């Protein structure tokens, strides 16, 4: 175990050092010659990968980490710091009012709600901006114009404009630079202003009250999706405390909507709305809307219906204000108790928007015959319940269509403080033939895409987490003895394999997918992709995968895991 961790740590260190030296050499060539923070800096030989690698340095910026530690006890400092960074980047908080923002938070479903909302506004012909997190394959996915990630040239251009302004002013501010998410939030605001969007749909990062997106002063409407337990060290250890943080995005006189919540958090949201002074309405069930026939959704899963209802209310309210003669003169809506949102009749544009919404990595099915991948970034117990429900709904038909034997495989990883054992327990009834675990490392080679590098967690910690998950799975399945771990080195790359046939731990996502597919997925057989050599004894244990008519793989537990898988499974996301 220790030997394996050291091998992987050295591998990661070499990769990081090589990339760091290469890119910092290029960064040394920066030409920052401009007279004010309003001027656009000019850089030489700076392509997209240079921008992404420079962005990645903000993940481990020492002053940023110290700043985060200081702010944990004084969360209001986060917004103060964000305002300072925004100003240093040449932007004013007042300018954000021009973006006509829809601001959305929640524990699960907030990204899907934003995707529905943004698609509806596009169907009306509006030019939209959409800021979300995390990204799956490329960081550009976080900043979208008209539903598409901004192009590499556009990202590079605006990145260096913002980075240069912050770099120029850092000496006067103790050398401080914004951390990764803060920088991307500032960049998104800058892009949306420069590209003159009609509306910006902004997804909260974590929480609400002190999230850096909450420097927005005057959104047009706010929304809260389903609440649950997540990020407890930051938001609180009860759903009521979390609700208090989420309700922090409410603004005086700005209408707010929420999906139905349990009584406890609903009471807290009501108190927050009253305290801040805004209306709060609860969305109806999707079945209640006055539409001819049931509304069709582009996103799979029963839980998407509440997200779609929230999106209808958010888009309807935004449209009402937009079509006023003078939107700026719209009367603020003050708190008068929690009310039921109106049961509107969705327009053809709304119906089409809901039906055509796409949001990769959430209840997504990819069929690479004979391997079918079911991908969902569920990372809380509540979202995992929804994932299991969706998986159990869609797989029977796929298995009937297979016309023969089917092997079920779970590919799982989770990050941070999340209760992996609780999530794995929910997955046991799905009756997987294999449970495979790997860290969120796309591939264990130096050509790994910089968009998916994460320097905040060591490889040793990630691998230890995978081994813990493997043991949890064994215990949940009645195999309580401590698993024996075998270190297999082939071609200079490590592979951990447990001696039983039911669970395996791999060093990266690519190696896990290649073992699961057993050469039966052409997307993973690209000669440019490194193939991990595997001992014959381990290859023999994969006989069921080679002999089955179909292989069904559920990939879940982390959006980062899903994104790493999609990088290999869907080449279109790499362009």
């Amino acid at each position: 175990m220790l030997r394996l961790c050291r091998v992987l740590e050295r591998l990661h260190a070499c990769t990081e050092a090589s990339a760091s030296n290469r890119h910092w050499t290029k960064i040394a060539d920066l030409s920052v010659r401009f007279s004010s923070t309003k001027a656009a800096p000019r850089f030489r030989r700076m392509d997209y990968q240079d921008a992404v690698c420079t962005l990645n340095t903000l993940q481990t910026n020492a002053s940023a980490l110290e700043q985060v530690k200081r702010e944990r006890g004084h969360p209001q400092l986060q917004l103060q710091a964000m305002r300072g960074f925004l100003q240093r980047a040449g932007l004013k908080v007042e300018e954000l009012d021009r973006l006509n923002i829809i601001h959305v938070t929640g524990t699960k479903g907030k990204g899907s709600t934003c995707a529905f909302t943004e698609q509806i506004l596009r169907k009306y012909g509006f030019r939209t901006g959409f800021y979300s997190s995390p990204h799956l394959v490329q960081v550009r996915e976080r900043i979208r114009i008209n539903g598409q990630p901004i192009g590499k040239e556009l990202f590079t251009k605006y990145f260096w404009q913002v980075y240069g302004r912050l770099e120029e002013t850092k000496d006067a501010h103790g050398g401080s630079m914004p951390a990764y998410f803060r920088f991307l939030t500032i960049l998104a605001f800058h892009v949306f202003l420069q590209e003159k969007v009609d509306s910006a749909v902004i997804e909260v990062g974590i929480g609400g009250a002190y999230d850096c997106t909450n420097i927005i002063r005057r959104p047009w409407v706010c929304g809260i999706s389903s609440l649950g337990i997540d990020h407890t060290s930051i938001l609180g250890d009860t759903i009521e405390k979390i609700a208090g943080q989420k309700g922090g995005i409410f603004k005086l006189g700005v209408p707010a909507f929420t999906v139905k919540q349990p009584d406890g958090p609903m009471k807290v949201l009501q108190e927050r709305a009253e305290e801040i002074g805004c209306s709060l309405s609860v969305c109806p069930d999707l079945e209640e809307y006055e539409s001819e026939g049931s509304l069709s959704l582009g996103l799979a899963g029963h839980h998407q219906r509440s997200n779609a209802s929230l999106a209808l209310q958010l888009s309807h309210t935004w449209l009402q204000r937009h079509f006023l003669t003078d939107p700026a003169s719209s009367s603020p809506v003050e708190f008068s108790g929690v009310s039921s949102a109106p049961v509107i009749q969705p327009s053809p544009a709304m119906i089409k928007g809901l039906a055509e919404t796409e949001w990769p990595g959430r209840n997504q099915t990819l069929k690479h015959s004979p391997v079918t991948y079911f991908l969902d970034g569920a990372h809380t117990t509540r979202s995992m319940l929804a994932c299991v429900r969706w998986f159990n709904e869609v797989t029977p038909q796929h298995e009937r269509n297979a016309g023969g034997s089917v092997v079920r495989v779970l590919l799982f990883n989770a990050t941070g403080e999340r209760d992996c054992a609780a999530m794995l327990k929910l997955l046991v009834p799905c009756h997987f033939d294999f449970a495979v675990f790997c860290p969120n490392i796309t591939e264990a080679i130096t050509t790994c895409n910089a968009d998916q590098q994460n320097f905040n967690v060591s490889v040793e910690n990630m691998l230890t987490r995978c081994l813990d998950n493997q043991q949890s799975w064994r215990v949940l399945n009645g195999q309580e003895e401590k698993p024996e771990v075998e270190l297999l080195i082939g071609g200079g790359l490590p592979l951990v394999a447990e001696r039983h046939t039911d669970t395996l731990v791999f060093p990266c996502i690519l190696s896990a997918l290649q073992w699961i597919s057993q050469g039966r997925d052409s997307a993973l057989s690209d000669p440019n992709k490194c193939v991990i050599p595997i001992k014959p004894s381990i290859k023999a244990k994969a006989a069921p995968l080679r002999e089955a008519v179909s292989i069904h793989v559920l990939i879940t537990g982390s959006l980062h895991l899903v994104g790493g898988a999609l990088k290999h499974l869907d080449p279109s996301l790499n362009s």
Side-chain angles (χ1 to χ4, degrees):
M1 167 69 183
L2 182 59
R3 180 187 171 198
L4 173 63
C5 290
R6 285 174 176 166
V7 170
L8 279 174
E9 193 76 350
R10 287 197 299 272
L11 174 66
H12 178 71
C14 291
T15 302
E16 181 178 347
S18 173
S20 178
N21 292 338
R22 181 172 65 254
H23 295 299
W24 277 109
T25 299
K26 292 183 179 180
I27 292 168
D29 291 336
L30 298 182
S31 175
V32 189
R33 298 289 184 269
F34 51 100
S35 58
S36 73
T37 56
K38 288 292 183 181
R42 296 180 181 276
F43 299 95
R44 291 179 291 151
R45 299 192 299 277
M46 284 293 142
D47 61 15
Y48 173 73
Q49 284 299 309
D50 292 311
V52 175
C53 289
T54 303
L55 171 65
N56 286 345
T57 66
L58 301 178
Q59 293 184 37
T60 53
N61 179 277
S63 61
L65 291 176
E66 285 302 313
Q67 186 178 55
V68 169
K69 291 177 183 177
R70 290 195 304 270
E71 291 170 359
R72 279 178 180 165
H74 304 280
Q76 66 276 10
L77 293 177
Q78 296 180 40
L79 293 181
Q80 293 177 18
M82 184 63 181
R83 292 187 190 98
F85 287 127
L86 192 74
Q87 185 175 11
R88 283 171 52 191
L91 300 174
K92 296 180 181 178
V93 175
E94 295 78 14
E95 291 181 89
L96 306 185
D97 297 347
R98 303 205 310 261
L99 295 177
N100 310 327
I101 289 169
I102 297 174
H103 202 192
V104 182
T105 188
T107 304
K108 71 183 187 77
K110 61 182 183 291
S112 299
T113 297
C114 289
F116 280 128
T117 305
E118 186 272 340
Q119 179 73 278
I120 289 171
L121 294 185
R122 249 192 303 141
K123 292 305 175 187
Y124 275 90
F126 293 108
R127 182 172 174 78
T128 61
F130 179 10
Y131 178 57
S132 65
S133 62
H135 61 277
L136 294 176
V137 177
Q138 299 197 52
V139 69
R140 300 179 292 112
E141 298 166 26
R142 297 182 183 228
I143 304 173
R144 296 170 180 256
I145 301 291
N146 284 340
Q148 296 299 313
I150 60 173
K152 291 183 178 180
E153 289 186 5
L154 212 58
F155 180 93
T156 304
K157 167 188 168 184
Y158 288 133
F159 174 88
W160 292 116
Q161 287 180 2
V162 173
Y163 188 86
R165 293 164 185 166
L166 290 163
E167 177 80 9
E168 183 196 43
T169 57
K170 74 174 185 179
D171 289 343
H173 293 84
S176 66
M177 290 287 283
Y180 189 87
F181 184 77
R182 281 181 181 166
F183 181 91
L184 286 171
T185 304
I186 295 167
L187 180 61
F189 289 145
H190 178 64
V191 170
F192 296 155
L193 287 167
Q194 292 297 312
E195 293 297 307
K196 295 180 172 55
V197 300
D198 297 312
S199 175
V201 181
I202 306 294
E203 178 189 353
V204 167
I206 296 177
Y210 302 114
D211 183 75
C212 63
T213 64
N214 207 32
I215 60 168
I216 299 164
R217 301 186 318 158
R218 296 174 183 170
W220 277 19
V221 61
C222 297
I224 297 184
S225 64
S226 179
L227 297 180
I229 302 292
D230 199 14
H231 300 295
T232 54
S233 64
I234 299 172
L235 306 179
D237 56 2
T238 68
I239 195 170
E240 287 78 15
K241 291 178 182 177
I242 290 171
Q245 289 293 316
K246 304 289 185 182
I249 71 166
F250 294 160
K251 299 294 185 296
L252 176 65
V254 174
F257 294 86
T258 179
V259 302
K260 292 176 180 177
Q261 309 283 2
D263 291 342
M266 191 69 241
K267 182 180 179 183
V268 173
L269 292 179
Q270 177 178 341
E271 292 169 351
R272 271 297 224 171
E274 184 173 10
E275 171 192 345
I276 292 171
C278 68
S279 66
L280 178 60
S281 304
V282 180
C283 299
D285 293 333
L286 196 64
E287 293 74 17
E288 297 179 41
Y289 286 87
E290 300 171 0
S291 175
E292 295 182 7
S294 61
L295 291 170
S296 175
L297 304 183
L299 303 184
H302 183 81
H303 59 285
Q304 296 292 359
R305 301 186 71 77
S306 64
N307 300 329
S309 177
L310 178 56
L312 286 172
Q313 296 295 331
L314 295 174
S315 56
H316 175 72
T317 302
W318 190 94
L319 290 163
Q320 279 187 315
R321 177 165 177 176
H322 174 81
F323 288 119
L324 289 173
T325 306
D326 181 11
S329 66
S330 60
S331 302
V333 185
E334 298 180 357
F335 180 80
S336 58
V338 177
S339 62
S340 297
V343 179
I344 62 174
Q345 181 171 2
S347 68
M350 289 176 171
I351 294 171
K352 192 173 183 181
L354 292 179
E356 295 183 6
T357 297
E358 296 180 353
W359 197 224
R362 290 80 171 174
N363 304 129
Q364 181 182 6
T365 302
L366 284 179
K367 189 168 180 60
H368 292 190
S369 188
V371 188
T372 303
Y373 302 93
F374 303 89
L375 304 103
D376 187 65
H379 52 270
T380 68
T381 50
R382 287 195 67 188
S383 59
M384 189 58 72
L385 275 170
C387 172
V388 169
R389 179 176 178 176
W390 163 71
F391 183 71
N392 287 334
E393 286 174 353
V394 298
T395 51
Q397 185 61 48
H398 285 273
E399 290 177 354
R400 284 193 293 270
N401 294 339
S405 60
V406 176
V407 172
R408 283 189 176 189
V409 183
L410 169 66
L411 178 56
F412 179 91
N413 190 45
T415 60
E417 61 193 22
R418 296 179 173 89
D419 189 344
C420 296
M423 287 191 281
L424 289 170
K425 184 177 182 179
L426 298 174
L427 290 161
V428 170
C430 294
H431 303 295
F432 293 101
D433 298 289
F434 292 93
V436 177
F437 305 94
C438 68
N440 292 340
I441 300 172
T442 310
E443 49 193 300
I445 55 176
T446 56
T447 55
C448 181
N449 192 334
D451 290 83
Q452 295 181 316
Q453 289 178 338
N454 182 350
F455 299 147
N456 289 327
V457 184
S458 72
V459 176
E460 181 177 355
N461 288 339
M462 287 190 283
L463 184 61
T464 299
R465 187 70 173 269
C466 291
L467 294 170
D468 289 342
N469 290 339
Q470 180 192 39
Q471 176 65 359
S472 294
W473 183 261
R474 291 176 58 85
V475 171
L476 289 166
N477 284 274
Q479 300 170 323
E480 297 189 26
E481 70 275 11
K482 186 175 181 180
E484 297 177 20
V485 175
E486 181 180 1
L487 175 60
L488 305 175
I489 302 286
L493 290 174
L495 167 67
V496 179
E498 203 261 307
R499 292 184 186 273
H500 229 59
T501 58
D502 59 347
T503 63
L504 292 150
V505 177
F506 289 86
C508 68
I509 296 168
L510 177 59
S511 61
L513 291 173
Q514 286 176 334
W515 187 85
I516 292 167
S517 63
Q518 288 294 300
R520 304 176 69 183
D521 183 352
S522 58
L524 300 170
S525 302
D526 186 330
N528 295 320
K529 293 186 184 294
C530 174
V531 178
I532 300 268
I534 298 177
K535 283 187 176 181
S537 59
I538 299 302
K539 184 175 290 188
K541 294 177 181 180
L545 295 167
R546 293 191 295 273
E547 296 167 0
V549 172
S550 294
I551 303 170
H552 289 175
V553 189
L554 174 62
I555 304 175
T556 191
S558 165
L559 275 169
H560 300 286
L561 172 67
V562 168
L566 283 172
K567 177 183 183 293
H568 298 296
L569 300 174
D570 187 352
S572 67
L573 295 174
N574 294 306
S575 59

